[in-house]
Every structure is written in C-alpha cells, then in structure tokens.
C-alpha cells in the first residue's frame, strides 16, 4: 500500500504532520502507532457522532468526530466518519478502492491499540495499579477533557477490569505463538517463495502457519510439528468426490472454531469472501422435510407414469418431450453395473460402468436417442474407442474422454453384471474374449488412434479421475470382504516370477494416502518396467531389487539369503554398467528410502526424503558393502588391500518430505525421475529438471493416478 507519489493535503487539516512523519521516517503506511492516532483522531470533521459540544473542543467543529470513548467501531453512526477517513487516505495515497474495507478494519484495530496505549502509559503505574492521571498535554488537541474523564471512568469499572484480565491472560500464553515479530504473513510468504525460487504464487495455509512459528534458531516446537503433519495427512487423504467439510485443512487439524471475517493462517484482513471460500449452509429440518416430500412426490409420479406405459404396452410417447420412454424391461430397473460393448469393426468389450434404467431418464436435460440408455462410464478398456453417440455437451467423442461422465449407449451393447458373453447380440460375428483385445488393436492401428485424438483435441485430465474410477469399481467387488487380487510379476522385473497380492488395505493406501506397503511399491515398479523401461529400452541400463527380500528385517535375520539374492542379480549383468534400484524399508512397515547401486563402478546413491545419513542403518550399509565386494571378487577384479573398502556412498540432496507418510511416494518418484533422465549417475544436488524443496500435492497425486490407471488396465479386478 506504499504510495508511489504523495499528494499532500492542504491546511488547516492536521494530516500534513502525518505525511511529514511518513516521508521523513519512510514508514510503511499502517506500521506506526502514531499514524493510527493521527488518521483516527485528527480527521474529526463529522457531525453524525458528536459526543461533546463545541465548547469542549478548543479547535471547533473540525475536531469533532470519532472520540476515544467509542467502543463499537461497527456502529452505523460512524459511517460518515469512516467515509471522511477513507477520503483522506485516498487524497494522500494512491490506493485501490477495493482495499477500503481492509483499511477501515485496520483503522478500528489501531483505535483499540491507541486506547490500550493510553491506558498502559498514563493510567497505570509500573505495578499495574490504576492512576487517576490528568489529560496528557501532547494529546490535548485530539482529546477533550470530557472525553478523557469518560475514558477514565470506563477503565475503573469492574467489568472492564475482568475483560482486560481475561484478554491479557489469553494473549500472554497462546497455544501456538507467532514467532516472526513484525513480519506479516504476506511478506513471510513472499520471502519463502523467493528463497525457494518457486514458480508458485502462494503457499498452502498450513505450510505458511508452520513457517510463522519457526524461531530464529530454526527449531520447531513438537506440538506445532504435530499439527503440521496432521494437515499434511489430511491434505493427501481427502478424497475430492467424497469431501463435504467446508473448513480449511488447518482449521480441521486445530479443531477450533473458525471465526467469520478471517482465514486462519493468512493474516489480518484476509477473509473467506476475498478468497472465494463459500461456506456450505446446513439445511434446516424444515428444508430437509420439504426436499424429502418433493422427492417422494416425484417418485410417486414416475411410478404412475411407468404403470400407465406398461398398461399401454409401451406405446409411443414421443409427443412428451420431457419424458424418455427408453425403459427396457430386459434390464433391471434402477442402476446396475454393466459391461459396455461395441460391434464395429469387431465385437468387443471396451469399458465398464453403470446403466441407469429409469423411466423418464434424461441425458443432460435432453431425451435419450431411441434404443439407448443412459450409462456412466467408470473404466475405459479401450480409450480411443469412438462413442456410439458423441456427447454434445462435453464434446467427447472418445470413450477415454467420457470417464466419470454420462453418455448414451445402445441397449443391445449393454451387458448387465460381469458375465462376458461369447456371442454378439448384433449382426456381427462374435469372437473369443481371449483374442478380442488383439483383434481390436489390429483393426484400429495406433497411427489412426493418434490421428483421431489430434482431430478431436486433447482434454485436460481430471487429477483424481482414475482414483474415482477405481474407488467406484472396488465397491462392486469382494475386496471389502477380505479377498485379494494378484498382480503378475514377470521374472525380468525382480529376477524371479511370482504374483503380488493386493488387498483392501493396499487399495485404501492409494485412495486415501496412507503409508505405502511393499505390495504397492512392487506394483508401481512393474508399472515403471512396463511403461518406461520396456518402451524405451532402459532394461539394459536399469533394474530392480525386490524390497520384500532386501528390507532391514531380512538383512538382520537372514543376511546370507539377502546377499545371495542380490549377488545373483548383479552377476546377471557384469558386462555393462547398470543401476539397480533398491527401495529400502526399515522393517515392520517403517520408513522408505531409495538405495541406487551401480556395482560396475562400485557407487551407491543414497536418497532419503528425511535427509538422514546412511549411518542411521549400519546393517544395511554393511550388507551392501559386502555384496559389492563379493561381486568384485567373482568378477576377478584385483584392488589393493588398503582400498578393499573404498566403496563410494553419495548422499543425494533430494526433495524432502514434510510429514511421516509420504516417504513411499517420494521413493517412487525418485525412481521414476531417474528413469526419465536416463542417467546411471545421480547428482549430489539431484537432477536440475526435478530439483525442489518438496514435492507438491499434484506431484504425489500423479503417482496415485498412475497406479490406479495401471491396475485398471491390468483387468485383475
């Protein structure tokens, strides 16, 4: 709010003294108590709130206005005084009109501060005892004797003393004290973004709240860190399509009332309105009852319509534009899970979803095409498949673009339930399920798919689209009853072939952002192998070690088995340089970190998102060193005895996690980013392209989306 050019007001106003003070001392506009005194008590040319006669004020009408005895800054009788204050502010400074409310709220705050200043300075002695002082001469031009006496009498009352003592105790021992002095949230936020060289324009409220409570020594109190970690957990575990709480993450973590007119962790003057945070109004019992009655009436009317149509033998009712009579008696009434098929160029299943077979069902407020039903698409097995009826509302023409939305689908191509038919209901000849995907790929070449995608235009992906689909689909399976699904693991991934089981807890970790299990870690490594290493030919330069066989518990209990497994993996590729990824777990569901080993150069890269040293896990370092020495011996490489232990360990300054949950996601990103860089060496300060202080929520969500999409594509559910 600092003005670039000052317009000095004319006498006889007392504002010139304020301007002179501002110019000489180069103070920020509202940063001084003196400025608050002058702006509130010098601009007093208001007749709507006259508390004393002109005789009480030696300076006449121009000094009559907002007295220090005014305890309610929201009093409507002060509107004219506020208008005058605002006009003087604008006359002296270049300031936008939309800052008026903030400036006047701050003016009220300064008025209260000035009253406190008068009380503590002139009406109390060093021991805090009340003193019946005379009107200070330096404020005689601003405060009338009558106002001063009234002001003193209010300070003597028992009610004021009680309120004052309560406020003093509350202010003296805040639960989470602000520790940045006069540095406000705004300037603190800018300094953090500048220091981190971040392209972001703002920080999450809980991150800023925590940074504001870091002392000069850089230490964070344990209770503040606990609240911050709780915020991080909440921010990652909230499912967008299920969240109904309108409170901010910080307010939920603190679990204290959020007062109107402010946003916690954003500083004074920031309101929910200014951030466009809309509170959800909780409906009253009367409103709920009215809604319920309306729904009952609507259902009753639909049932009557259905009975009339059934009695008429489903006669044509095209004259009723608002009613869709595509109700199919062969498909269960209501909402049912279904398979979606296409008949051309071959009969094949292309997706899964839910069919809505209700009388009167509309699609985007329009009647459905004849012979079709409304379908919600949950899973697209063939993303580039053309929709039988393109969606005019969303301009979707491909099945992959319709995930999470409603489309019209021909009734004879909808199969309710999860049985896969062997023959088509259409005229085209059916093919076996085992070869349908292969046939469809032959009929629609990749080049043609790409051409179709370019012609229809790329759409921005929903950041939680695949998680929503997986969440919806899991509800229709027996996963919640304790059943598991097996993820096939090719022998080339970990050196042996097996099936990785995933159960409800594993899926919940992906959907609700909790600590990752070894099953999820292994599944993502298969994703990296299938989607990155295979297509790019990286399997010649990178490989994986199974974390189930190489965690800290196994290293301590069965060191020989761990050593044998890893040595065999290393010796399988001794003729070329290769980097082996070892997601290392401290055991019993503990912390995840990444150890990347280059046995050819005898270099170990240590990436820990907690920024600890490898000496934290001496057993791990001992095993890894022993394995490298064993491989060296089997390769018959001779080194001087004094250099036998010269194995290079490089601690990489990788992005740092901000809670006790994200370690697994960070480990997965480290592997992915190394593969994307196609480098068998990892710089000590990490890759320039991916260097950051910490991963954002979107970067972690990207891992979850990739996992969900991959699991859906595997068709193991």
């Amino acid at each position: 709010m600092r003005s670039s050019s000052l317009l000095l007001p004319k006498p006889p106003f007392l504002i010139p003294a304020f301007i002179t003070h501002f110019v000489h001392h180069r103070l920020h506009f509202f940063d001084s108590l003196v400025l608050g005194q002058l702006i509130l008590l010098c601009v007093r040319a208001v007749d709507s709130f006259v508390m004393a006669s002109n005789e009480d004020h030696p300076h006449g009408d121009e000094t009559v206005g907002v007295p220090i005895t005014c305890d309610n800054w929201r009093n409507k009788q002060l509107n004219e005084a506020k208008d005058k204050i605002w006009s003087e502010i604008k006359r002296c400074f270049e300031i936008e009109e939309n800052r008026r409310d903030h400036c006047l709220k701050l003016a009220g705050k300064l008025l209260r501060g000035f009253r406190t200043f008068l009380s503590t300075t002139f009406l109390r002695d060093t021991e805090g005892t009340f003193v019946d002082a005379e009107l200070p001469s330096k404020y005689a031009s601003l405060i009338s004797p009558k106002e001063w006496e009234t002001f003193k009498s209010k300070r003597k009352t028992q009610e004021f003393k009680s309120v004052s003592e309560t406020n003093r105790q509350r202010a003296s021992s805040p639960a989470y004290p602000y520790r940045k002095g006069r540095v406000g949230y705004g300037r603190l936020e800018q300094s953090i973004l500048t220091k981190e060289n971040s392209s972001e324009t703002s920080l999450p409220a809980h991150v800023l709240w925590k940074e504001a409570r870091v002392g000069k020594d850089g230490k964070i109190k344990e209770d503040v860190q606990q609240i911050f970690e709780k915020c991080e957990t909440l921010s990652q575990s909230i499912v967008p399509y299920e969240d109904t709480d309108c409170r901010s993450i910080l307010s939920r973590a603190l679990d204290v009332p959020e007062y109107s007119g402010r946003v916690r962790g954003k500083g004074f003057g920031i309101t929910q309105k200014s951030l466009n945070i809309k509170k959800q109004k909780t409906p009253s019992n009367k409103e709920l009852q009215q809604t319920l009655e309306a729904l009952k009436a609507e259902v009753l009317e639909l049932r009557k319509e259905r009975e009339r149509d059934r009695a008429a033998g489903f006669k044509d009712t095209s004259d009723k534009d608002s009613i869709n009579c595509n109700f199919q008696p062969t498909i269960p009434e209501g909402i049912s899970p279904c398979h979606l098929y296409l008949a051309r160029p071959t009969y094949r299943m292309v997706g899964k979803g839910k069919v809505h077979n209700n009388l009167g069902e509309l699609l985007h407020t329009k009647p459905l095409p004849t012979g079709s039903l409304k379908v919600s698409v949950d899973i697209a097995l063939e993303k580039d498949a053309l929709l039988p009826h393109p969606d005019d509302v969303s301009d979707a023409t491909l099945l992959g673009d319709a995930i999470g939305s409603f489309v019209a689908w021909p009734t004879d191509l909808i199969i309710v339930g999860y049985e896969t038919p062997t023959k088509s209901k259409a005229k085209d000849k059916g093919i076996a399920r085992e070869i349908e995907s292969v046939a469809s790929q032959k009929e629609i070449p990749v080049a043609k798919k790409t051409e179709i995608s370019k012609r229809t235009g790329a759409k921005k992906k929903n950041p939680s689209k695949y998680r929503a689909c997986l969440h919806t689909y899991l509800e229709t399976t027996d996963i919640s009853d304790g059943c598991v699904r097996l993820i096939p693991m090719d022998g080339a991934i970990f050196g042996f072939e097996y099936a990785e089981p995933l159960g409800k807890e594993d899926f919940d970790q992906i959907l609700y952002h909790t600590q990752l299990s070894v099953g999820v870690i292994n599944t993502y490594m298969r994703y990296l192998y299938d989607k990155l290493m295979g297509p790019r030919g990286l399997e010649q330069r990178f490989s994986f070690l199974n974390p189930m066989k190489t965690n800290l518990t196994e290293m301590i209990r069965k060191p020989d088995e761990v050593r044998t497994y890893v040595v065999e993996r290393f010796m399988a590729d001794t003729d070329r340089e290769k980097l082996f990824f070892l997601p290392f777990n401290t055991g019993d569901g503990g912390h995840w970190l990444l150890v990347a080993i280059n046995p050819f150069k005898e270099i170990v890269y240590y990436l820990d998102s907690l920024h600890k040293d490898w000496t934290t896990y001496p057993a791990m370092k001992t095993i890894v060193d022993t394995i490298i020495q064993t491989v060296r011996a089997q390769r018959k490489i001779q080194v001087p005895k004094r250099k036998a232990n010269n194995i290079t360990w490089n601690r990489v300054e990788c992005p740092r996690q901000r809670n006790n949950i994200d370690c697994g996601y960070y480990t997965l990103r480290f592997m992915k980013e190394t593969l994307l860089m196609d480098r068998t060496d990892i710089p000590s300060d990490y890759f320039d392209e991916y260097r950051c202080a910490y991963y954002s929520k979107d970067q972690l969500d990207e891992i979850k989306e990739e996992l969900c999409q991959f699991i859906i594509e595997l068709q193991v559910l």
Side-chain angles (χ1 to χ4, degrees), residues 175-177 205-211 213 220-236 248-256 264-265 658-661:
Y176 311 101
H206 63 279
V207 175
L208 191 59
W209 179 86
K210 185 198 79 169
E211 293 297 331
R213 282 148 185 84
I220 305 174
K221 290 187 176 180
E222 185 178 352
D223 54 351
V224 173
Q225 183 64 29
Q226 289 176 353
I227 293 296
F228 174 75
E229 290 179 357
K230 188 175 181 181
C231 289
E232 284 289 287
T233 303
L234 284 171
S235 67
Q236 297 292 345
S248 68
I249 297 294
L250 183 57
S251 295
R252 297 188 210 186
L254 292 171
D255 197 22
V256 293
R264 192 179 300 278
R658 298 183 293 174
N659 57 29
N660 56 359
I661 292 176

Side-chain angles (χ1 to χ4, degrees), residues 268-542:
F268 178 79
I270 305 299
T271 63
Q272 295 183 356
K273 182 179 179 181
S274 65
L275 291 181
N276 295 322
I277 300 177
K278 296 181 179 180
K279 279 193 173 182
Q280 297 179 352
K281 181 182 177 182
T282 303
S284 62
N285 291 337
K286 184 178 180 181
E287 291 173 334
L288 289 174
Q289 187 64 30
Q290 290 174 349
T291 303
L292 181 60
E293 293 298 331
L295 289 174
K296 286 182 178 179
E298 185 177 351
V299 171
L300 182 61
E301 183 63 29
L302 288 174
R303 285 178 178 174
K304 291 179 180 179
E305 293 256 1
R306 185 188 63 191
E307 293 300 328
R308 287 197 297 267
D309 288 337
R310 282 181 175 176
F314 291 95
K315 289 183 179 180
D316 184 17
T317 55
S318 58
D319 57 320
K320 297 181 180 181
D321 293 336
S322 61
I323 298 296
N324 170 43
C325 294
N326 282 356
F327 180 88
Q328 297 294 331
T330 57
I331 294 179
E333 182 181 358
I335 302 175
S336 307
C338 66
H339 284 168
L340 304 176
Y341 283 73
L342 286 179
R344 293 179 178 83
T346 57
Y347 183 75
R348 67 205 185 280
M349 184 175 71
V350 295
K352 300 178 183 180
K354 293 184 178 65
V355 57
H356 297 247
N357 189 28
N358 298 309
L359 190 64
E361 192 77 60
L362 300 176
L363 179 64
H364 306 313
T365 70
K366 295 181 181 180
L368 286 162
T370 303
S372 298
L373 288 176
K374 181 178 177 181
V375 168
S376 59
V377 181
D378 295 334
I379 299 173
L381 302 178
E382 189 176 308
K383 299 177 187 176
D384 291 323
L386 293 172
L387 292 173
H389 299 287
D391 191 350
D392 296 332
V393 175
S394 63
D395 295 328
T397 58
L398 302 179
L399 184 62
D401 298 332
I403 293 177
S405 61
F406 294 95
V407 296
W409 206 273
T411 307
D412 60 343
L413 295 176
I414 299 173
I415 306 300
V416 176
Y418 296 105
E419 294 181 4
T420 303
T422 57
K423 278 198 172 182
S424 167
K425 290 186 179 182
K427 296 180 180 179
D428 297 69
K429 187 177 180 180
I431 62 173
R433 178 68 183 90
E434 292 78 16
I435 63 172
E436 67 181 22
S437 59
V438 177
S440 63
Q441 291 173 5
K442 291 180 180 178
E443 296 291 342
I444 306 179
V446 175
K448 185 175 180 181
K449 294 180 182 180
T450 306
E451 182 181 348
I452 293 173
S453 299
K454 289 182 178 179
R455 187 167 66 248
T456 55
K459 284 184 173 290
K460 185 178 180 181
K461 290 185 178 180
N462 181 349
S464 62
K465 178 173 67 174
Y466 290 105
R467 274 181 290 160
C469 291
L470 184 62
H471 178 271
T472 302
Y473 191 64
L474 287 174
E475 291 180 341
T476 66
T477 67
D478 54 3
I479 296 293
S480 58
D481 297 329
C483 295
V484 299
R485 295 296 184 268
L486 300 178
I487 307 296
M489 292 292 175
D490 188 87
I493 302 176
F494 296 121
F496 58 97
E497 187 174 338
Y498 77 106
E500 186 70 53
L502 293 183
K504 183 178 185 302
E505 291 184 358
D506 301 299
F507 291 115
D508 285 348
Q509 291 164 12
I510 307 172
L511 296 174
Y512 302 107
H513 196 90
T514 58
Q515 185 88 348
L516 293 184
S517 65
V518 67
V520 177
I521 296 289
N522 287 342
T523 302
Y524 190 79
M525 284 195 282
R526 183 191 156 172
Y527 163 80
L528 293 176
Y529 185 86
D530 288 0
K531 301 296 184 180
L532 282 181
M533 292 176 62
R536 301 189 181 194
L538 299 178
E539 65 269 25
Q540 303 300 320
R541 291 165 51 80
F542 300 92

